[in-house]
PDB file of all heavy atoms in Angstrom:
ATOM      1  N   ASP A 134      -4.221   1.293  -2.306  1.00  0.00           N
ATOM      2  CA  ASP A 134      -3.858  -0.074  -2.690  1.00  0.00           C
ATOM      3  C   ASP A 134      -4.539  -0.376  -4.136  1.00  0.00           C
ATOM      4  O   ASP A 134      -5.659  -0.155  -4.214  1.00  0.00           O
ATOM      5  CB  ASP A 134      -4.347  -0.976  -1.696  1.00  0.00           C
ATOM      6  CG  ASP A 134      -3.434  -2.384  -1.734  1.00  0.00           C
ATOM      7  OD1 ASP A 134      -2.601  -2.404  -2.486  1.00  0.00           O
ATOM      8  OD2 ASP A 134      -3.894  -3.226  -0.757  1.00  0.00           O
ATOM      9  N   VAL A 135      -3.729  -0.716  -5.079  1.00  0.00           N
ATOM     10  CA  VAL A 135      -4.270  -0.957  -6.441  1.00  0.00           C
ATOM     11  C   VAL A 135      -3.749  -2.368  -6.859  1.00  0.00           C
ATOM     12  O   VAL A 135      -2.655  -2.762  -6.618  1.00  0.00           O
ATOM     13  CB  VAL A 135      -3.752   0.111  -7.404  1.00  0.00           C
ATOM     14  CG1 VAL A 135      -4.364  -0.013  -8.720  1.00  0.00           C
ATOM     15  CG2 VAL A 135      -3.865   1.556  -6.839  1.00  0.00           C
ATOM     16  N   ALA A 136      -4.753  -2.950  -7.534  1.00  0.00           N
ATOM     17  CA  ALA A 136      -4.350  -4.295  -8.026  1.00  0.00           C
ATOM     18  C   ALA A 136      -4.940  -4.533  -9.502  1.00  0.00           C
ATOM     19  O   ALA A 136      -6.020  -3.905  -9.884  1.00  0.00           O
ATOM     20  CB  ALA A 136      -4.861  -5.282  -7.096  1.00  0.00           C
ATOM     21  N   TYR A 137      -4.279  -5.353 -10.207  1.00  0.00           N
ATOM     22  CA  TYR A 137      -4.787  -5.886 -11.528  1.00  0.00           C
ATOM     23  C   TYR A 137      -5.249  -7.301 -11.295  1.00  0.00           C
ATOM     24  O   TYR A 137      -4.562  -8.132 -10.656  1.00  0.00           O
ATOM     25  CB  TYR A 137      -3.606  -5.918 -12.586  1.00  0.00           C
ATOM     26  CG  TYR A 137      -4.131  -6.366 -13.942  1.00  0.00           C
ATOM     27  CD1 TYR A 137      -4.745  -5.471 -14.759  1.00  0.00           C
ATOM     28  CD2 TYR A 137      -3.827  -7.673 -14.433  1.00  0.00           C
ATOM     29  CE1 TYR A 137      -5.130  -5.883 -16.104  1.00  0.00           C
ATOM     30  CE2 TYR A 137      -4.198  -8.015 -15.597  1.00  0.00           C
ATOM     31  CZ  TYR A 137      -4.870  -7.216 -16.398  1.00  0.00           C
ATOM     32  OH  TYR A 137      -5.356  -7.602 -17.619  1.00  0.00           O
ATOM     33  N   TYR A 138      -6.466  -7.681 -11.685  1.00  0.00           N
ATOM     34  CA  TYR A 138      -7.120  -8.838 -11.399  1.00  0.00           C
ATOM     35  C   TYR A 138      -7.372  -9.674 -12.624  1.00  0.00           C
ATOM     36  O   TYR A 138      -8.036  -9.070 -13.590  1.00  0.00           O
ATOM     37  CB  TYR A 138      -8.420  -8.552 -10.598  1.00  0.00           C
ATOM     38  CG  TYR A 138      -9.259  -9.782 -10.276  1.00  0.00           C
ATOM     39  CD1 TYR A 138      -8.632 -10.819  -9.552  1.00  0.00           C
ATOM     40  CD2 TYR A 138     -10.534  -9.991 -10.742  1.00  0.00           C
ATOM     41  CE1 TYR A 138      -9.347 -11.960  -9.148  1.00  0.00           C
ATOM     42  CE2 TYR A 138     -11.253 -11.150 -10.268  1.00  0.00           C
ATOM     43  CZ  TYR A 138     -10.699 -12.149  -9.564  1.00  0.00           C
ATOM     44  OH  TYR A 138     -11.273 -13.173  -9.196  1.00  0.00           O
ATOM     45  N   GLU A 139      -6.885 -10.834 -12.729  1.00  0.00           N
ATOM     46  CA  GLU A 139      -7.075 -11.824 -13.842  1.00  0.00           C
ATOM     47  C   GLU A 139      -8.113 -12.841 -13.332  1.00  0.00           C
ATOM     48  O   GLU A 139      -7.626 -13.841 -12.757  1.00  0.00           O
ATOM     49  CB  GLU A 139      -5.821 -12.394 -14.295  1.00  0.00           C
ATOM     50  CG  GLU A 139      -4.808 -11.471 -14.884  1.00  0.00           C
ATOM     51  CD  GLU A 139      -3.507 -12.143 -15.223  1.00  0.00           C
ATOM     52  OE1 GLU A 139      -3.574 -13.230 -15.884  1.00  0.00           O
ATOM     53  OE2 GLU A 139      -2.508 -11.658 -14.725  1.00  0.00           O
ATOM     54  N   LYS A 140      -9.379 -12.591 -13.582  1.00  0.00           N
ATOM     55  CA  LYS A 140     -10.351 -13.490 -13.143  1.00  0.00           C
ATOM     56  C   LYS A 140     -10.277 -14.854 -13.644  1.00  0.00           C
ATOM     57  O   LYS A 140     -10.416 -15.874 -12.932  1.00  0.00           O
ATOM     58  CB  LYS A 140     -11.840 -12.990 -13.437  1.00  0.00           C
ATOM     59  CG  LYS A 140     -12.875 -13.858 -12.935  1.00  0.00           C
ATOM     60  CD  LYS A 140     -14.201 -13.262 -13.192  1.00  0.00           C
ATOM     61  CE  LYS A 140     -15.364 -14.129 -12.509  1.00  0.00           C
ATOM     62  NZ  LYS A 140     -16.646 -13.513 -12.555  1.00  0.00           N
ATOM     63  N   GLU A 141      -9.857 -15.033 -14.942  1.00  0.00           N
ATOM     64  CA  GLU A 141      -9.798 -16.328 -15.559  1.00  0.00           C
ATOM     65  C   GLU A 141      -8.720 -17.252 -14.877  1.00  0.00           C
ATOM     66  O   GLU A 141      -8.787 -18.478 -14.800  1.00  0.00           O
ATOM     67  CB  GLU A 141      -9.554 -16.307 -16.993  1.00  0.00           C
ATOM     68  CG  GLU A 141      -8.261 -15.431 -17.398  1.00  0.00           C
ATOM     69  CD  GLU A 141      -8.388 -14.000 -17.458  1.00  0.00           C
ATOM     70  OE1 GLU A 141      -9.650 -13.484 -17.254  1.00  0.00           O
ATOM     71  OE2 GLU A 141      -7.519 -13.226 -17.706  1.00  0.00           O
ATOM     72  N   ASN A 142      -7.690 -16.584 -14.263  1.00  0.00           N
ATOM     73  CA  ASN A 142      -6.678 -17.277 -13.451  1.00  0.00           C
ATOM     74  C   ASN A 142      -6.777 -17.090 -12.008  1.00  0.00           C
ATOM     75  O   ASN A 142      -5.964 -17.644 -11.288  1.00  0.00           O
ATOM     76  CB  ASN A 142      -5.229 -16.802 -13.999  1.00  0.00           C
ATOM     77  CG  ASN A 142      -5.030 -16.989 -15.480  1.00  0.00           C
ATOM     78  OD1 ASN A 142      -5.552 -18.080 -15.997  1.00  0.00           O
ATOM     79  ND2 ASN A 142      -4.340 -16.096 -16.088  1.00  0.00           N
ATOM     80  N   ASN A 143      -7.754 -16.346 -11.636  1.00  0.00           N
ATOM     81  CA  ASN A 143      -7.905 -15.982 -10.201  1.00  0.00           C
ATOM     82  C   ASN A 143      -6.582 -15.539  -9.639  1.00  0.00           C
ATOM     83  O   ASN A 143      -6.154 -15.958  -8.546  1.00  0.00           O
ATOM     84  CB  ASN A 143      -8.424 -17.195  -9.377  1.00  0.00           C
ATOM     85  CG  ASN A 143      -9.000 -16.812  -8.064  1.00  0.00           C
ATOM     86  OD1 ASN A 143      -9.424 -15.643  -7.902  1.00  0.00           O
ATOM     87  ND2 ASN A 143      -8.905 -17.655  -7.083  1.00  0.00           N
ATOM     88  N   TYR A 144      -6.005 -14.603 -10.326  1.00  0.00           N
ATOM     89  CA  TYR A 144      -4.638 -14.025  -9.999  1.00  0.00           C
ATOM     90  C   TYR A 144      -4.709 -12.544  -9.763  1.00  0.00           C
ATOM     91  O   TYR A 144      -5.221 -11.850 -10.641  1.00  0.00           O
ATOM     92  CB  TYR A 144      -3.679 -14.421 -11.043  1.00  0.00           C
ATOM     93  CG  TYR A 144      -2.258 -14.212 -10.677  1.00  0.00           C
ATOM     94  CD1 TYR A 144      -1.635 -15.044  -9.785  1.00  0.00           C
ATOM     95  CD2 TYR A 144      -1.557 -13.084 -11.124  1.00  0.00           C
ATOM     96  CE1 TYR A 144      -0.297 -14.697  -9.345  1.00  0.00           C
ATOM     97  CE2 TYR A 144      -0.248 -12.835 -10.824  1.00  0.00           C
ATOM     98  CZ  TYR A 144       0.362 -13.656  -9.857  1.00  0.00           C
ATOM     99  OH  TYR A 144       1.684 -13.401  -9.513  1.00  0.00           O
ATOM    100  N   LEU A 145      -4.142 -12.079  -8.672  1.00  0.00           N
ATOM    101  CA  LEU A 145      -4.127 -10.759  -8.366  1.00  0.00           C
ATOM    102  C   LEU A 145      -2.675 -10.214  -8.373  1.00  0.00           C
ATOM    103  O   LEU A 145      -1.779 -10.775  -7.698  1.00  0.00           O
ATOM    104  CB  LEU A 145      -4.725 -10.564  -6.936  1.00  0.00           C
ATOM    105  CG  LEU A 145      -5.277  -9.208  -6.483  1.00  0.00           C
ATOM    106  CD1 LEU A 145      -6.372  -8.701  -7.260  1.00  0.00           C
ATOM    107  CD2 LEU A 145      -5.692  -9.400  -5.002  1.00  0.00           C
ATOM    108  N   THR A 146      -2.427  -9.165  -9.062  1.00  0.00           N
ATOM    109  CA  THR A 146      -1.197  -8.476  -9.062  1.00  0.00           C
ATOM    110  C   THR A 146      -1.137  -7.135  -8.406  1.00  0.00           C
ATOM    111  O   THR A 146      -1.971  -6.283  -8.857  1.00  0.00           O
ATOM    112  CB  THR A 146      -0.674  -8.342 -10.523  1.00  0.00           C
ATOM    113  OG1 THR A 146      -0.608  -9.671 -11.180  1.00  0.00           O
ATOM    114  CG2 THR A 146       0.716  -7.810 -10.655  1.00  0.00           C
ATOM    115  N   SER A 147      -0.336  -6.894  -7.463  1.00  0.00           N
ATOM    116  CA  SER A 147      -0.299  -5.498  -6.886  1.00  0.00           C
ATOM    117  C   SER A 147       0.438  -4.568  -7.955  1.00  0.00           C
ATOM    118  O   SER A 147       1.455  -4.994  -8.449  1.00  0.00           O
ATOM    119  CB  SER A 147       0.582  -5.493  -5.612  1.00  0.00           C
ATOM    120  OG  SER A 147      -0.188  -6.103  -4.581  1.00  0.00           O
ATOM    121  N   ILE A 148      -0.231  -3.464  -8.223  1.00  0.00           N
ATOM    122  CA  ILE A 148       0.382  -2.509  -9.159  1.00  0.00           C
ATOM    123  C   ILE A 148       0.673  -1.145  -8.511  1.00  0.00           C
ATOM    124  O   ILE A 148       0.098  -0.841  -7.429  1.00  0.00           O
ATOM    125  CB  ILE A 148      -0.504  -2.399 -10.409  1.00  0.00           C
ATOM    126  CG1 ILE A 148      -1.998  -1.928 -10.032  1.00  0.00           C
ATOM    127  CG2 ILE A 148      -0.544  -3.850 -11.092  1.00  0.00           C
ATOM    128  CD1 ILE A 148      -2.802  -1.646 -11.299  1.00  0.00           C
ATOM    129  N   SER A 149       1.549  -0.486  -9.147  1.00  0.00           N
ATOM    130  CA  SER A 149       1.976   0.813  -8.548  1.00  0.00           C
ATOM    131  C   SER A 149       1.029   1.938  -8.526  1.00  0.00           C
ATOM    132  O   SER A 149       1.002   2.851  -7.759  1.00  0.00           O
ATOM    133  CB  SER A 149       3.325   1.242  -9.216  1.00  0.00           C
ATOM    134  OG  SER A 149       3.050   1.436 -10.602  1.00  0.00           O
ATOM    135  N   ARG A 150       0.195   1.923  -9.494  1.00  0.00           N
ATOM    136  CA  ARG A 150      -0.784   3.030  -9.649  1.00  0.00           C
ATOM    137  C   ARG A 150      -1.953   2.592 -10.574  1.00  0.00           C
ATOM    138  O   ARG A 150      -1.852   1.526 -11.314  1.00  0.00           O
ATOM    139  CB  ARG A 150      -0.214   4.257 -10.283  1.00  0.00           C
ATOM    140  CG  ARG A 150       0.310   4.020 -11.673  1.00  0.00           C
ATOM    141  CD  ARG A 150       0.875   5.283 -12.311  1.00  0.00           C
ATOM    142  NE  ARG A 150       1.453   4.942 -13.629  1.00  0.00           N
ATOM    143  CZ  ARG A 150       0.674   4.809 -14.786  1.00  0.00           C
ATOM    144  NH1 ARG A 150      -0.608   4.964 -14.805  1.00  0.00           N
ATOM    145  NH2 ARG A 150       1.268   4.491 -15.908  1.00  0.00           N
ATOM    146  N   LEU A 151      -3.078   3.210 -10.542  1.00  0.00           N
ATOM    147  CA  LEU A 151      -4.079   2.962 -11.595  1.00  0.00           C
ATOM    148  C   LEU A 151      -3.706   3.659 -12.818  1.00  0.00           C
ATOM    149  O   LEU A 151      -3.354   4.838 -12.905  1.00  0.00           O
ATOM    150  CB  LEU A 151      -5.445   3.633 -10.957  1.00  0.00           C
ATOM    151  CG  LEU A 151      -6.793   3.130 -11.629  1.00  0.00           C
ATOM    152  CD1 LEU A 151      -6.970   1.556 -11.353  1.00  0.00           C
ATOM    153  CD2 LEU A 151      -7.850   3.829 -10.934  1.00  0.00           C
TER     154      LEU A 151
END
Side-chain angles (χ1 to χ4, degrees):
D134 201 1
V135 187
Y137 181 81
Y138 180 56
E139 296 177 50
K140 183 175 182 169
E141 57 278 358
N142 300 324
N143 197 29
Y144 190 75
L145 199 62
T146 303
S147 290
I148 61 177
S149 59
R150 63 176 176 81
L151 201 57

